[in-house]
Amino acid sequence: MREQLIVTNRVLALPIFAGIMFLIYAIAMGGWSISLGTKGTDWANDVLFGEWVPGLFDVILGGLGVAEGTWVYGLIQDGIVAGVGAVLGFVPQMLVLFLLLAILEDVGYMARVAFIMDRVFRKFGLSGKSFIPMLVATGCGVPGIMASRTIEQDRDRKMTVMTTGFIPCGAKMPIIGLFAGAIFGDSAWVATSAYFIGVAAVVVSGIMLKKFKAFAGEPAPFVMELPTYHAPSAGNVLRATWERGWSFIKRAGTIILISSIVLWFLQGYGFVDGVFQAVEDNNDSLLAVIGNAVAWIFYPLGWIGDMAWKATVATVTGLIAKEEVVNTFGVLYHYAGEIDLMEDSSPLWTLVAGDFTALSAYSFMIFNLLCAPCFAAMGAIKREMNNTKWTLGAIGYMCGFAYVISMIVYQVGGLIIGEVSFGILPAIAIAALIGLIYLLVRKGYQPEGEIHHLTSVSAAAKV
Amino acid sequence: MPEYVGTVIVILVLVLVVTLAIRSLWKSHKKGGGCSGDCGSCGGCSKH
């Protein structure tokens, strides 16, 4: 009972929740001595997929008479091993994260978080029922979106479907892990900030959308039975961890494997002087041509220079599955690096760090965290909305919101630190920020008729 | 062993692996794609 009073305390509940989430992300993805996930990922990237796996394939291919320098050798090592290895390297961090979240769920704490968040969400027009899909979405966005079926009110359900995708799912974690390691020195704040940016995006969206007629109205009441606290069951925790982790690994063996092959081809071949051939520099590749045709859209987000088409292509492939972002970087930068994996085992992070500034990296991370989820999640949105207009609206809203926030972060942040000089783009970003603030503070649509807010005591007295 | 034999073997293995991967994705798509909500019929997605 005493723990209940502390954990669900009006003042302490949120700071305790923030502290616990920070600790979880620090253990899973931080740069401390207790950061078991990072230690595992460093080993996986540097040793397993940096030396052992490429070395094994080198022996096998050599034994079969496939010489280094042939296209088959390049496809296996530069395409599949580099791409799939880049994603699988993050499995240790994922497993540690899933394990800690499973412990919190099994203990009964996450149910209390939904109760705590109801009080917070209600101030912004949502109820704690909207937080439960978001809890689910930390594993995978698809069941998170489907969990919105528990919300009876159509407008709140639609709003939850539209905003659940903002919460970083397991597939987005490698993106955070890559940039946290490459640019931000394994800082635990990067992963924690990504999670709370997702929550903030939900809250900000809730406030803005509730002021429109389509979403206006009181949130549904939230009644739930809190499970008693109990020691976590090893079987439940390990099973939940394994199921989430296996889903991640299975995707690496299927869709990411296929994508690695396609990406290897597209970024390894192109037209040079009118002749279709293998290219030395992947800036001359077919993929660069495709990426450059679209990359201009993302210039306001700070994706400029040679990295622009790579960042654009990685974002687009992320629509297939969010792990594709890291897979794409693994293929693109490994090829560009021309580094012997068995001599220098951590080229990916070094090369990524060379192309991104801290601000453009954070802008890229935010865009990929907040923008439209993967195709599987879009399919779930389509099923839940059951309406093409609402489905396209939801996806368009997420993409637009992500674009505006990333642009504001890069342009306004760049003005503050001196990376960006004042011009048209910063002016547009400032105007967008002002517009966002206006949408947050304006009065909004008021439903007809009086609304009486009664406390439980007043309501009982009226009966 | 002639050089091309090793290349052919690797290509055949790759084709087999990719075929199995596509088959797995197609089966998953036919089942409803990702999580169908029926936990009894699926053993590998993220259960909650």
Side-chain angles (χ1 to χ4, degrees):
Chain A
M1 187 61 184
R2 202 176 306 156
E3 299 81 36
Q4 203 86 288
L5 292 174
I6 296 170
V7 165
T8 54
N9 181 272
R10 293 185 84 87
V11 174
L12 296 176
L14 279 180
I16 289 174
F17 175 57
I20 289 173
M21 291 310 292
F22 176 79
L23 198 59
I24 284 178
Y25 281 106
I27 294 172
M29 309 178 79
W32 301 352
S33 55
I34 58 164
S35 301
L36 303 171
T38 305
K39 285 182 170 32
T41 284
D42 285 345
W43 176 83
N45 283 331
D46 296 346
V47 178
L48 181 60
F49 295 106
E51 293 172 16
W52 293 0
V53 172
L56 175 65
F57 276 98
D58 195 56
V59 168
I60 294 171
L61 292 172
L64 289 170
V66 178
E68 195 173 330
T70 57
W71 69 269
V72 174
Y73 187 95
L75 170 60
I76 300 293
Q77 294 282 31
D78 298 335
I80 295 172
V81 171
V84 176
V87 174
L88 287 180
F90 289 100
V91 165
Q93 282 182 327
M94 299 302 102
L95 288 178
V96 171
L97 180 68
F98 293 153
L99 178 79
L100 295 172
L101 288 174
I103 290 172
L104 282 187
E105 284 174 17
D106 208 53
V107 154
Y109 177 68
M110 283 310 208
R112 279 148 181 82
V113 172
F115 171 74
I116 293 161
M117 295 306 281
D118 177 65
R119 196 185 302 140
V120 173
F121 272 31
R122 204 158 283 277
K123 288 189 189 340
F124 306 122
L126 288 172
S127 81
K129 273 192 180 180
S130 295
F131 189 71
I132 292 172
M134 290 163 203
L135 273 180
V136 176
T138 53
C140 174
V142 174
I145 289 163
M146 295 177 72
S148 63
R149 287 181 193 177
T150 56
I151 302 168
E152 297 94 350
Q153 283 179 333
D154 190 52
R155 56 172 187 271
D156 286 352
R157 186 175 60 250
K158 285 189 166 101
M159 201 156 70
T160 303
V161 168
M162 286 169 72
T163 55
T164 295
F166 289 144
I167 300 295
C169 65
K172 293 177 185 174
M173 290 302 167
I175 305 173
I176 300 171
L178 173 65
F179 284 98
I183 312 280
F184 299 104
D186 281 326
S187 168
W189 288 107
V190 176
T192 314
S193 72
Y195 181 79
F196 284 105
I197 283 170
V199 175
V202 171
V203 170
V204 165
S205 295
I207 299 172
M208 285 194 317
L209 293 174
K210 268 292 181 178
K211 293 182 193 239
F212 288 92
K213 187 177 173 184
F215 300 101
E218 287 296 309
F222 181 47
V223 179
M224 70 179 288
E225 185 180 336
L226 293 179
T228 51
Y229 277 123
H230 58 275
S233 152
N236 287 346
V237 167
L238 291 174
R239 196 165 31 246
T241 304
W242 173 246
E243 281 169 359
R244 283 161 157 166
W246 175 240
S247 171
F248 185 86
I249 294 168
K250 199 174 156 192
R251 269 200 300 278
T254 52
I255 201 151
I256 289 173
L257 174 80
I258 297 168
S259 306
S260 295
I261 296 171
V262 173
L263 282 169
W264 170 84
F265 173 76
L266 287 175
Q267 59 91 61
Y269 290 82
F271 287 93
V272 180
D273 297 327
V275 177
F276 183 75
Q277 60 183 288
V279 294
E280 287 291 318
D281 181 357
N282 64 7
N283 285 307
D284 298 325
S285 67
L286 287 171
L287 198 60
V289 171
I290 296 166
N292 279 319
V294 187
W296 59 271
I297 297 172
F298 299 102
Y299 287 163
L301 275 56
W303 308 1
I304 48 182
D306 275 347
M307 63 79 101
W309 72 266
K310 292 173 187 162
T312 303
V313 165
T315 298
V316 171
T317 57
L319 294 176
I320 303 169
K322 285 300 175 195
E323 302 96 318
E324 277 294 339
V325 174
V326 172
N327 172 39
T328 303
F329 280 136
V331 175
L332 291 178
Y333 282 100
H334 173 66
Y335 188 91
E338 295 180 356
I339 291 170
D340 186 335
L341 270 178
M342 283 168 283
E343 285 183 11
D344 183 344
S345 52
S346 61
L348 176 61
W349 290 13
T350 311
L351 291 169
V352 169
D355 265 354
F356 284 86
T357 63
L359 199 54
S360 63
Y362 207 71
S363 158
F364 178 85
M365 203 177 69
I366 285 175
F367 184 82
N368 281 274
L369 287 178
L370 299 181
C371 81
C374 60
F375 288 145
M378 286 191 221
I381 292 173
K382 183 169 173 286
R383 282 193 295 277
E384 296 310 311
M385 291 295 198
N386 205 22
N387 179 293
T388 305
K389 196 176 74 170
W390 273 101
T391 303
L392 292 174
I395 294 167
Y397 174 77
M398 282 188 264
C399 291
F401 187 84
Y403 191 93
V404 167
I405 298 299
S406 295
M407 181 175 65
I408 290 171
V409 163
Y410 182 75
Q411 297 294 340
V412 176
L415 275 179
I416 294 169
I417 65 172
E419 188 170 317
V420 169
S421 48
F422 193 81
I424 294 173
L425 290 176
I428 293 172
I430 291 169
L433 180 60
I434 293 169
L436 201 65
I437 294 170
Y438 166 71
L439 286 173
L440 285 170
V441 302
R442 73 185 182 115
K443 197 172 174 191
Y445 175 81
Q446 298 294 325
E448 285 177 9
E450 287 184 51
I451 297 170
H452 297 277
H453 296 276
L454 297 175
T455 61
S456 56
V457 171
S458 310
K462 281 191 177 290
V463 168
Chain B
M1 182 167 63
E3 279 182 17
Y4 68 85
V5 173
T7 302
V8 168
I9 291 171
V10 171
I11 291 171
L12 285 175
V13 169
L14 261 178
V15 167
L16 176 66
V17 168
V18 169
T19 305
L20 289 172
I22 293 172
R23 188 165 160 260
S24 171
L25 288 170
W26 181 249
K27 275 176 141 179
S28 171
H29 173 71
K30 293 296 275 181
K31 233 196 301 189
C35 174
S36 63
D38 177 14
C39 296
S41 68
C42 179
C45 74
S46 305
K47 287 188 191 173
H48 293 270

